[in-house]
């Protein structure tokens, strides 16, 4: 009896190992695409943070990008009050948005740089902007200067393979010395 259980167990392990090897070379592709619809910005203190005009540009058929700038008028240092958080909303028709559980907790700007920004945004922004690009951890400060984005398209490979169709609004909100919002709307379509 023990021998047959051992053989069955070994066969299960071999089968699972074979499946793991077989699926190692499978590349899971996105089942959706997006179109950037709009970008809105707000700053409560233009002397500390000023957004330039942000616009959506059509690069080619079905390919859209965002361009714009923002100016930070003082270095952002470790331990200050600059916090950031994300909230996402979804709508089937682009009008009646409802909150969805896709969000990040309020955190210091440097925590955001070392987590969400590094994982989801940095690779897309490093070739179309002068936003920070780094290996390891972000080294403060975030310098006082104008940051420019030129025809930035976001790589969706780090995002979920499947997304429900509809309109998504993401509000990146900052607080501390200045309250600000960077809100963008995308339309997701299945392919």
């Amino acid at each position: 009896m023990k021998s047959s259980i051992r053989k069955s167990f070994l066969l299960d392990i071999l089968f699972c190992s074979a499946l793991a090897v077989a699926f190692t070379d499978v590349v899971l592709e996105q089942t959706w695409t997006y179109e950037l619809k709009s970008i809105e910005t707000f700053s409560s203190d233009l002397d500390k943070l000023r957004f330039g005009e942000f616009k959506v540009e059509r690069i080619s058929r079905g390919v859209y990008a965002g361009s714009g700038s923002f100016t930070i008028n003082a270095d952002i240092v470790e331990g200050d009050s600059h916090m950031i958080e994300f909230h996402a909303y979804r709508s089937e028709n682009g009008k009646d948005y409802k909150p969805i559980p896709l969000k990040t907790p309020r955190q210091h700007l440097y925590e955001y740089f070392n987590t969400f920004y590094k994982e989801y945004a940095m690779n897309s922004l490093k070739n179309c902007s002068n936003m920070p690009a780094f290996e390891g951890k972000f080294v403060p400060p975030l310098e006082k200067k104008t940051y420019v984005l030129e025809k930035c398209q976001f790589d969706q490979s780090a995002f979920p393979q499947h997304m429900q169709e509809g309109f998504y609004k993401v509000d990146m909100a900052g607080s501390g010395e200045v309250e600000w919002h960077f809100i963008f709307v995308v339309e997701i379509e299945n392919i």
Side-chain angles (χ1 to χ4, degrees), residues 11 38 43 59 68 82 90 109 119 126-127 137 145-147 149 164 174 180:
L11 286 173
S38 67
S43 172
I59 305 299
H82 290 91
R90 185 183 169 280
L109 185 64
E119 186 173 344
K126 70 181 178 184
N127 296 319
K137 294 223 177 229
K145 70 179 185 180
T146 297
Y147 293 89
L149 290 76
Q164 187 176 6
W180 58 269

Side-chain angles (χ1 to χ4, degrees), residues 91-123:
S91 166
E92 289 194 24
N93 58 17
K95 295 177 183 162
D96 304 315
Y97 286 92
K98 294 186 171 53
I100 59 175
L102 179 65
K103 63 182 179 176
T104 63
R106 181 178 289 228
Q107 57 191 300
H108 190 272
L109 185 64
Y110 293 140
E111 289 177 59
Y112 159 75
F113 270 125
N114 288 316
T115 56
F116 187 86
Y117 173 82
K118 186 174 182 182
E119 186 173 344
Y120 295 105
M122 187 172 71
N123 283 334

